[in-house]
């Protein structure tokens, strides 16, 4: 009698378990990407250049969705997506990274798995071809979350990340951007407050900022987010922006959403942008759209910042929110819905 | 007639304004500090050592409360408090900083003003006597929030922070700690997964972590928080913990609370500890105590981490929460209430 009871009990739990697993294996996926936000105006763009940007975004979406449609994980998808954007010299990450004041390329990246809340980040690496793979290595192969400069490079190289000579990151356009920025900055320096050495924010800071990001929901209901950047043109003093900071530029939690940000990084750090959007969903029961709209369209400009973000929630609803003139962006869903856009 | 009406209207607003300003100038202050959390057992402590620790905490409380009682700002108070703890070789920050694997001292600090949400942080500085003053300079004198390594040192020196030869940070005890840690780590290395190079968390990580922190409410109702650390003994790969990360180790917002954390930094980054406590107060309408208890006593150990935090809210209520055996801590209030404690 007792045996039968146990048999029935076991079957009950087995059925419950299968129902649960089918529920989480919801069979749909979503991938959303950005290639930076700023003063991106149609009037400044040629049809040829526009086509190149859109092709770059499409290539990245393809890389990530190839993984997701085969049942791959969100974390693998965002990493693969970011690698394609890093290898494309149009975007300020990897090969297209901007130059520091010293004429170097110092790269930042971060990645987070919403299933485990594990995360990895690198800041200031100069010889890792794909900084996002270094961030992934920090997440998977160390006890740490964040590594910086030489130490991060050493760890990434030890753990199989492809290294390159720093000259790999040289692109003519970014070099010209640096000369332009230096000219502007030396003009500003004449006006700087000599008693405090206070640095003024550039009046036109658009060319200074750029980031790439990806967020994904996979067919098992897992969320992940990743962000990569070359930072600010003409940056000095080892400045670290929001991109490699978990909670600011990147966050993912299966219970809420996955977020990647782009914009004026200092304001994203002060607002702890990505985690605050997640917290508003969790604790104020706001939708992803409500939380993102209020943070990007109200809280961010109220402090004096600007930029955008992408996010996807556990149900596959997604946002691409920005308060600038444009944001390179795209998305693809398992139901065939897709899009690539640049302007407001 | 219209003139009288305007006169009355003006007076009405003037009175309202004065009432408002008296309300925010509430006249009370609170200062709370920590000197790190971990396996701090009475059985391992001598009466002489305990007295030194308590005296160190008292000196720090005196420095901060001297400012607060004169009507000074919370941000000035937390900076002054942290400087005293940094100058005391008992605590893992400034003069008492632990050594990296390479036998260097790399210091991190951050500071945040709850009135303006302005923040500053430095990571990996090696020749700034008081890293908290460098974080304050980043906040006050740059357009940035976070700077790292050589660049941060250059900026701090340019902006009047006292520099020292790196040998200033040498202390015999920390050097012995490093030798001990290296012995333990080389034993671990024998067991590490040779295919991935995965680093195992040390079984006994208590001696590896330590931080100092301060949070304050000033008589004008402003909140501020600051944190400083030497990081982990034997740290490698340019590891950055939670202390210099706004949102993780430090956060302050006049609308909610000021927080400084201490513990196993990686978990504090993944949970975005300080900002999440603030968000739970703001969005879930929890008290500071409810939010801190749930995060430190439940969410943190659930992920496998441990440590503590201090916090003060806008009404002057404060917490000193930890799930370890002890946390060096103390507080002082304008009503004369005060205390210094070490054990659970």
């Amino acid at each position: 009698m007792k045996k039968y009871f146990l048999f029935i009990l076991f079957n009950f739990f087995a059925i419950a378990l299968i129902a649960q697993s089918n529920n989480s294996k919801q069979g749909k996926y979503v991938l959303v990407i950005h290639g930076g936000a700023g003063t991106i105006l149609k009037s400044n763009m040629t049809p040829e250049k526009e086509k190149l940007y859109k092709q770059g975004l499409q290539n990245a979406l393809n890389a990530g969705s190839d993984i997701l449609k085969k049942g791959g994980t969100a974390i693998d998808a965002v990493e693969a997506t970011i690698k394609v954007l890093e290898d494309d010299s149009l975007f300020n990450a990897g090969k297209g990274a901007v130059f520091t004041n010293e004429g170097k390329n110092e790269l930042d990246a971060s990645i987070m798995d919403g299933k485990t809340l594990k995360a990895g980040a690198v800041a200031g690496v100069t010889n890792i071809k794909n900084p996002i793979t270094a961030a992934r290595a920090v997440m998977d192969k160390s006890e740490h979350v964040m590594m910086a400069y030489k130490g991060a490079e050493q760890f990434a190289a030890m753990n199989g990340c492809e290294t390159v000579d720093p000259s790999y990151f040289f692109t003519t356009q970014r070099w010209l951007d640096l000369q332009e920025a230096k000219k502007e900055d030396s003009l500003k320096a004449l006006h700087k407050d000599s008693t405090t050495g206070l640095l003024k924010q550039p009046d036109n800071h658009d060319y200074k900022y750029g980031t790439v990001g990806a967020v994904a929901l996979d067919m098992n209901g897992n969320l992940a987010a990743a962000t990569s950047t070359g930072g600010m043109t003409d940056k000095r003093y080892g400045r670290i922006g929001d991109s490699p900071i978990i909670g600011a530029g990147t966050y993912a939690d299966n219970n809420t959403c996955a977020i990647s940000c782009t914009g004026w990084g200092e304001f994203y750090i002060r607002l702890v942008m990505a985690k605050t959007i997640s917290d508003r969903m969790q604790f104020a029961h706001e939708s992803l759209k409500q939380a993102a709209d209020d943070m990007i369209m109200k809280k961010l400009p109220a402090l004096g910042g600007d930029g955008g973000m992408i996010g996807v929630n556990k149900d596959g609803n997604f946002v691409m929110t920005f308060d600038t003139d444009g944001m390179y962006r795209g998305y693809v869903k398992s139901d065939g819905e897709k899009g690539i856009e640049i302007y407001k």
Side-chain angles (χ1 to χ4, degrees), chain A:
Chain A
M1 192 62 195
K2 200 179 164 191
K3 244 189 221 169
Y4 282 105
F5 176 71
L6 278 174
F7 180 73
I8 290 162
L9 197 73
F10 175 80
N11 272 281
F12 176 79
F13 278 116
I15 290 163
L17 213 67
I18 291 163
Q20 170 67 26
S21 119
N22 276 344
N23 183 37
S24 71
K25 209 175 183 76
Q26 26 77 321
K28 68 180 176 190
Y29 66 81
V30 180
L31 176 66
V32 189
I33 63 172
H34 71 74
T39 309
I40 308 165
L41 295 168
K42 207 174 170 69
S43 52
N44 294 337
M45 189 75 85
T46 63
E48 293 73 30
K49 211 169 151 190
E50 194 176 305
K51 205 175 150 189
L52 284 173
Y53 273 106
K54 287 188 170 178
Q55 189 57 55
L57 294 168
Q58 186 62 59
N59 294 343
L61 285 170
N62 292 346
S65 58
D66 280 353
I67 290 170
L68 292 169
K69 74 172 63 141
K70 288 178 196 147
T73 63
I75 193 85
D76 284 342
V78 295
E79 183 189 352
T81 303
I82 295 292
K83 277 180 76 171
V84 173
L85 293 167
E86 285 177 340
D87 290 344
D88 188 330
S89 64
L90 284 174
F91 302 101
N92 178 18
K95 174 68 184 159
V98 299
F99 285 91
T100 68
N101 179 269
E102 290 178 321
K104 296 202 284 186
N105 305 98
E106 293 181 352
L107 313 170
D108 305 331
S110 65
I111 192 165
M112 185 159 187
D113 186 342
K115 185 183 177 184
T116 57
L117 298 184
K118 288 195 80 179
V122 293
V125 297
T126 64
N127 67 352
I128 306 299
K129 188 180 175 218
N130 292 105
I132 199 68
T133 62
R136 179 78 191 264
V138 171
M139 179 177 104
D140 286 346
K141 298 178 180 175
S142 87
E143 59 185 331
H144 301 313
V145 172
M146 190 171 187
M147 298 182 184
Y149 288 90
K150 293 279 165 234
E153 293 173 356
Q154 188 193 346
F155 180 83
M158 273 172 58
N159 285 280
C161 298
E162 188 178 347
T163 56
V164 290
D165 187 89
S167 65
Y168 164 81
F169 297 106
F170 181 90
T171 57
T172 309
Q173 185 55 52
R174 300 301 191 194
W175 186 256
L176 295 174
D177 288 347
L178 174 64
Q179 310 318 314
E180 196 62 32
K182 283 194 164 182
K183 217 182 293 170
E184 191 186 303
D185 283 353
S186 59
L187 277 173
K188 271 196 311 158
L190 291 173
H191 304 287
K192 88 172 176 186
D193 182 337
S194 59
T195 56
T196 63
L198 192 67
L199 293 168
K200 297 283 192 305
Q201 180 58 34
D203 296 326
N204 171 9
H205 65 277
D206 299 311
Y207 69 91
K208 284 208 168 189
Y209 301 87
T211 318
V212 303
V215 296
L217 170 72
D218 68 27
M219 292 204 279
N220 287 308
N222 295 312
L223 295 169
T227 310
S228 181
T229 187
M232 282 175 54
T233 295
D234 198 23
K235 78 175 169 187
R236 282 185 287 190
Y237 311 126
R239 177 254 188 188
I240 295 179
D242 65 314
S243 299
I245 298 191
I246 298 301
T250 303
Y251 204 74
D253 180 344
N254 273 7
N255 294 313
T256 53
C257 60
I259 305 280
S260 170
C261 298
T262 173
W264 194 342
E266 277 70 15
F267 294 92
Y268 284 74
I269 297 177
R270 290 165 59 195
L271 291 168
V272 196
M273 182 63 81
K275 182 57 157 75
T276 303
I277 291 171
S278 170
D279 282 348
R280 292 175 70 135
M281 293 175 65
Q282 184 169 0
F283 300 119
H285 309 294
E286 294 180 4
S287 69
L288 171 59
K289 185 173 178 341
Q290 285 172 323
D293 279 353
D294 192 70
M295 290 303 295
I296 298 291
M297 311 307 274
K298 291 184 186 162
K299 296 287 182 295
L300 180 62
L303 274 191
D306 61 4
M309 54 73 69
I310 53 171
V312 60
N313 75 5
K314 56 184 176 167
D315 302 317
N317 299 317
F318 70 92
V319 296
M320 306 186 290
T321 309
F322 55 99
D323 78 333
T324 52
D325 289 316
M327 179 168 79
Y328 301 108
R329 62 199 187 277
Y331 65 96
V332 57
K333 293 172 65 175
S334 46
D335 64 8
E337 203 189 320
K338 60 184 177 175
I340 290 177
E341 291 171 83
I342 297 177
Y343 314 107
K344 211 182 295 198

